[in-house]
Amino acid sequence: MIMEALRDVLGAPPVPQGSWEREARFVSTAALRGTAEPAGEAAERLAVRLRAVPGVRRVDVRPNGFLVIGVATPGEIVHDVLAAPLAVSPPAKGSPPATGPEAGAAAPWPDFPRTWDNPGFAVRYAYVRAGAVQRWARDLGVPTGAAARPELLDGPFDRAVLRVLAELPSRRESRDPGWAAYLERLAEVYHAAVERASPIPRGDEAPSEVHAARVRMGEAVRRVLGEGLAELGVAPPGKI
């Protein structure tokens, strides 16, 4: 798992940088944290270890001690998301909303109107849509499951989803994860991916490994949306 391997070296998850349209990169300030040696020397030492991590394409050390890490297969993020234990359990439908600081700050969106003008609808619909895609894929004979090839998630719409998914580890550890805005962004890129880079065959198109990889990515999206909704005290919907 690429994210776990990076965390093991850095002590904390790195943060994705840029759009990922051309290159999947992370940035880390690990060399600046809690060390008596100069930041540049600490960064060079960490860079040596990072370059030995499978899946790391390149590591650049910036003059300020920041590390910029390029990964070869951004689609591996999907496996990381699905393999990690859930941070919270989804609340039961009809249970009272969360009362923690994040729930108070984020204020879950209203259920209505169910239009694209309501970001709460877009988020809930993305959760339901990802589940429907899995059912349609099985019905259409798309080979799904853990064997999906992450390197096939290389189109611009796939990468846009992966870029947002890659924020999850650092957000989980943040004091202010900003779940509501994050879920809105994830829903937006997922809806675009389903429309423009379909995870299921269309017309007489044959099921392919690309479809399988995109369905698997949708599983990760659904899991993250469910976790984020739970963080906000919102029960993930069964249908819309």
Side-chain angles (χ1 to χ4, degrees):
M1 298 194 297
I2 186 66
M3 291 302 297
E4 281 301 309
L6 295 178
R7 183 201 294 266
D8 288 346
V9 174
L10 299 168
V15 178
Q17 182 187 57
S19 69
W20 281 29
E21 185 174 353
R22 295 185 178 181
E23 184 180 10
R25 296 181 298 177
F26 292 91
V27 65
S28 172
T29 60
L32 282 63
R33 296 194 301 266
T35 177
E37 64 182 319
E41 293 179 13
E44 291 291 352
R45 175 176 51 80
L46 289 171
V48 171
R49 295 178 60 193
L50 287 168
R51 292 180 184 121
V53 172
V56 170
R57 173 176 286 170
R58 61 180 293 175
V59 181
D60 297 324
V61 178
R62 298 290 187 247
N64 58 4
F66 283 34
L67 291 156
V68 180
I69 308 151
V71 298
T73 310
E76 290 183 6
I77 297 296
V78 169
H79 178 70
D80 282 80
V81 170
L82 292 172
L86 280 173
V88 292
S89 299
K93 194 171 184 60
S95 61
T99 57
E102 175 64 15
W109 321 268
D111 192 12
F112 293 93
R114 291 181 175 176
T115 68
W116 293 113
D117 293 330
N118 177 7
F121 166 76
V123 170
R124 293 181 177 96
Y125 180 40
Y127 177 85
V128 172
R129 191 176 203 180
V133 163
Q134 293 175 43
R135 295 192 298 273
W136 297 334
R138 287 193 296 268
D139 292 344
L140 293 170
V142 175
T144 59
R149 295 171 55 193
E151 69 273 15
L152 297 179
L153 295 171
D154 201 37
F157 295 99
D158 302 320
R159 280 181 171 252
V161 176
L162 296 172
R163 167 62 176 78
V164 181
L165 286 175
E167 296 179 21
L168 181 63
S170 58
R171 284 184 179 274
R172 278 176 170 165
E173 297 192 6
S174 172
R175 293 182 179 179
D176 183 18
W179 282 113
Y182 176 62
L183 298 188
E184 291 173 24
R185 289 176 49 232
L186 181 57
E188 180 182 7
V189 294
Y190 180 65
H191 286 307
V194 172
E195 294 294 332
R196 304 293 295 278
S198 179
I200 56 175
R202 290 178 172 172
D204 57 0
E205 184 181 13
S208 71
E209 289 185 304
V210 173
H211 293 123
R214 288 173 176 165
V215 171
R216 183 73 169 167
M217 183 172 68
E219 290 182 40
V221 169
R222 180 176 168 88
R223 179 172 179 141
V224 174
L225 290 172
E227 178 181 331
L229 287 169
E231 288 280 5
L232 294 172
V234 178
K239 61 180 180 179
I240 289 182

